[in-house]
Amino acid sequence: MFDALMIEKTADGTQSVHVGPVADDRLPDGDVTVRVEWSTLNYKDALAITGRGPVVRQFPMVPGIDFAGTVETSAHPGIAPGDRVVLNGWGVGEKHWGGLAGRARVKGEWLVPLPDAFTTRQAMAIGTAGYTAMLCVLALEHQGITPDRSPVLVTGAAGGVGSVAVMLLARLGYHVAAVTGRPGEQDYLTELGASEVLPRDGFSGPSRPLEKARWAGAVDVAGGAVLANVCAAMLPDGVVTACGLAAGMDFPTTVAPFILRGVTLVGIDSVMCPRPRRLAAWRRLAELIDPAKLEAMVTEIPLADAPATATALLDGKVRGRIILRAP
């Protein structure tokens, strides 16, 4: 038996969430069983737990799109009992039971060896949010956005992806402009390395086809009007990485930034990202993460508090990263 947070749905479509014991024989198919040590609460997990978004594809479901822990049993070549591993994405917490539990059974190819630089707790302090932020930074580098081509804009900067993106970009020497809707987070973002903190109001209204060119690169977690405003204000040959939809799935813009300034919009898919890119991201994270700054962005909660915290996260009341010790 192990404890898990379970989402269930009745015949009339009513969703319920509870924490309780689950028998091992209910675990889904997979060739590796992991003793989960730490997991996280991400934006997608919050949508699943609250039912505000159609994240869960089948019920009952254990949410949690990532986890870190130690392998208990394995029938997968190259993975052995005792290995420390991390998982991000692959539909876990959506179509396959996820990490908000004491145990998980998954396909071995979904797992990445945990770098020696990190404890399993630190791995989940980074989590899918930090791994996604690293993918954004790698994409900016691949597109030629180097520190001498700053500034780089980060939207949703006080959230999970944004916080890690600010820290990584600052560590690499970029001039980072952090956008947030919470003025009280200015000191927090400055401590992470932001060179300037900008109010979200300046990015949330209707955009013109082109705005004053200001940004060489951008990490956008918002989508919607925010992404449109960011694209309109890019410098010539600027690069925008898009990895979220906190402000909406629509994209109310024109082709002007792309054909008049040569702006590149790069989509970041952390869920089905190929394994070599995942390994590269975790290697770079091991090189760049400042443990003290990472700890400063972490809030630890018990599993029983996940439903209430999920609501707060969607309401924009959560800073940084939320981690949970497995029960």
Side-chain angles (χ1 to χ4, degrees), residues 277-314:
R277 203 176 303 159
R278 292 171 181 266
L279 293 171
W282 278 100
R283 281 195 299 268
R284 289 294 299 282
L285 285 164
E287 296 169 2
L288 295 173
I289 287 291
D290 181 327
K293 289 185 177 179
L294 180 66
E295 186 60 32
M297 68 175 69
V298 168
T299 300
E300 183 179 331
I301 65 169
L303 188 60
D305 287 355
T309 307
T311 298
L313 194 159
L314 295 183

Side-chain angles (χ1 to χ4, degrees), residues 39-83:
S39 188
T40 72
L41 191 68
N42 296 281
Y43 189 84
K44 188 179 287 186
D45 300 321
L47 289 173
I49 291 169
T50 61
R52 292 193 195 178
V55 171
V56 178
R57 306 301 182 185
Q58 60 187 50
F59 296 88
M61 178 57 61
V62 175
I65 64 172
D66 52 11
F67 62 77
T70 303
V71 173
E72 289 188 333
T73 63
S74 174
H76 189 278
I79 299 177
D83 287 353

Side-chain angles (χ1 to χ4, degrees), residues 58-280:
Q58 60 187 50
F59 296 88
M61 178 57 61
V62 175
I65 64 172
D66 52 11
F67 62 77
T70 303
V71 173
E72 289 188 333
T73 63
S74 174
H76 189 278
I79 299 177
D83 287 353
R84 299 187 316 147
V85 293
V86 61
L87 182 144
N88 307 105
W90 295 118
V92 168
E94 303 174 63
K95 299 180 290 185
H96 190 99
W97 284 15
L100 295 181
R103 190 167 285 122
R105 183 173 294 146
V106 297
K107 294 182 179 180
E109 58 261 36
W110 296 346
L111 298 168
V112 170
L114 183 63
D116 292 339
F118 298 131
T119 64
T120 52
R121 185 182 189 277
Q122 289 172 324
M124 286 298 98
I126 298 165
T128 290
Y131 148 73
T132 301
M134 190 72 250
L135 291 176
C136 291
V137 174
L138 290 173
L140 290 173
E141 291 179 335
H142 181 73
Q143 295 289 336
I145 305 301
T146 51
D148 62 305
R149 289 188 62 190
S150 298
V152 173
L153 188 76
V154 178
T155 67
V161 176
S163 292
V164 181
V166 169
M167 177 172 60
L168 293 173
L169 290 164
R171 179 73 181 269
L172 287 165
Y174 291 85
H175 177 106
V176 182
V179 178
T180 181
R182 292 175 267 172
E185 301 293 7
Q186 179 158 346
D187 289 345
Y188 165 74
L189 292 168
T190 301
E191 287 292 322
L192 290 179
S195 301
E196 53 183 314
V197 179
L198 304 174
R200 184 176 59 203
D201 290 350
F203 297 84
S204 56
S207 71
R208 295 181 295 181
L210 291 175
E211 302 284 354
K212 179 182 177 181
R214 301 181 65 186
W215 319 113
V219 175
D220 178 65
V221 306
V226 175
L227 178 56
N229 277 286
V230 170
C231 289
M234 298 303 293
L235 289 162
D237 297 320
V239 178
V240 181
T241 58
C243 63
L245 46 69
M249 291 187 67
D250 59 330
F251 186 33
T253 190
T254 72
V255 298
F258 310 106
I259 65 173
L260 297 180
R261 289 183 180 165
V263 172
T264 298
L265 178 59
V266 181
I268 303 298
D269 173 17
S270 63
V271 177
M272 305 304 290
C273 179
R275 182 177 175 82
R277 203 176 303 159
R278 292 171 181 266
L279 293 171

